Amino acid sequence: MSEAEKPLRYAADWIARKKQSRRIVVVTAYDAAFARLVARSRVDAILVGDSLSMVVQGHRSTIPVTLDEMIYHAQMVRRGAPDAFVIGDLSFGSFQKNMDQAIESAIRMVKEGGVNAVKMEGAEAHVLDAIRHLTAAGVPVMGHTGLKPQTVMTTGGYRVQGRSETEKKLEDEARALCQAGCFAMIFELVVSAVATRLSKDLPVPVIGIGSGAGTDGQVLVLHDLLGIDDSFQARHVKRYVDLAGLVTGALNEFGDEVRRGDFPGDEHSFS
Ligand code: KIV
């Protein structure tokens, strides 16, 4: 296997990819069935994101999902993708209290969830302390700045970040996350020009979502790119397949065949 084809195994591989100017592709997954499909694709890493609160659990935000639930889903993903690089998101309430709580939650996610790395939103002082402590202890941490969905209650909704009034704060946070030891970070809904400038300048890969094409990689929510929920489409999402339409079509066909008596046929029956 050539150097270029090597899968991401360790945090250091992410930095090496950036040095080689090779973009990193990440998608979310929340269960074994989808993780298995992602693992046989050319996607580089799986994020068990707290978006599962909305996408899988049906909540209106990422606030309700608990750490226990995140770990439960990380375990499913690990079973479906035993060799994948899996990142486990720390949910709201599992790291905001203080550094000790953040470290305990991260270690649980690694030990019980079986993930290769954890992700935390934000760059408050205790989060940076926790990142320093965890990386020194051998737990790779991915940062997350720009839009931070766990703080929308105070920051006023799902707004694009990096415009004049928020650019300095975003840059300070990104640099602090690098200094604390993050091996990579998510930029969510950051103005493209700012995301491109910082991606060129920062020493670790910036994985963008809604942040333009100039970052070191992209992440999308799996259910969004597969078109599983067709009730809403955000500007930054591209639907690569209309799975909602395909599933509805298949279910209707099944229903019609049952009603007509066409299913099961002899080939699906036992004599
Ligand atoms: O939870 C999630 O899916 C995320 C991505 C949007 C980056 O954090």
Side-chain angles (χ1 to χ4, degrees), residues 143-269:
H144 183 148
T145 186
L147 175 76
K148 288 164 278 182
Q150 292 179 7
T151 61
V152 288
M153 289 185 293
T154 51
T155 53
Y158 297 89
R159 298 225 179 106
V160 175
Q161 303 293 305
R163 297 217 163 97
S164 48
E165 70 285 4
T166 49
E167 181 172 349
K168 164 103 177 50
K169 184 167 186 287
L170 170 80
E171 178 161 356
D172 289 348
E173 279 195 3
R175 292 195 188 283
L177 289 169
C178 289
Q179 271 161 16
C182 284
F183 71 96
M185 72 184 72
I186 301 282
F187 269 19
E188 182 163 356
L189 286 199
V190 172
V191 176
S192 302
V194 175
T196 303
R197 177 175 69 77
L198 289 176
S199 300
K200 285 199 183 111
D201 208 36
L202 296 170
V204 304
V206 172
I207 309 300
I209 174 163
S211 302
T215 54
D216 304 298
Q218 297 289 328
V219 57
L220 276 181
V221 168
L222 186 68
H223 291 48
D224 289 345
L225 83 89
L226 296 181
I228 291 178
D229 178 1
D230 56 6
S231 64
F232 169 78
Q233 186 171 1
R235 179 186 161 108
H236 65 273
V237 171
K238 178 170 174 185
R239 258 187 217 147
Y240 286 83
V241 60
D242 171 23
L243 220 51
L246 291 176
V247 169
T248 309
L251 294 175
N252 283 339
E253 205 177 321
F254 170 56
D256 291 346
E257 288 196 0
V258 169
R259 284 182 205 101
R260 285 198 306 266
D262 291 346
F263 179 84
D266 288 344
E267 69 277 30
H268 304 113
S269 306

Side-chain angles (χ1 to χ4, degrees), residues 28 30 47 49-51 89 119 121 144 186 188 209 219 221:
T28 64
Y30 317 98
L47 170 66
D50 63 354
S51 49
D89 219 355
K119 174 167 92 58
E121 281 185 23
H144 183 148
I186 301 282
E188 182 163 356
I209 174 163
V219 57
V221 168

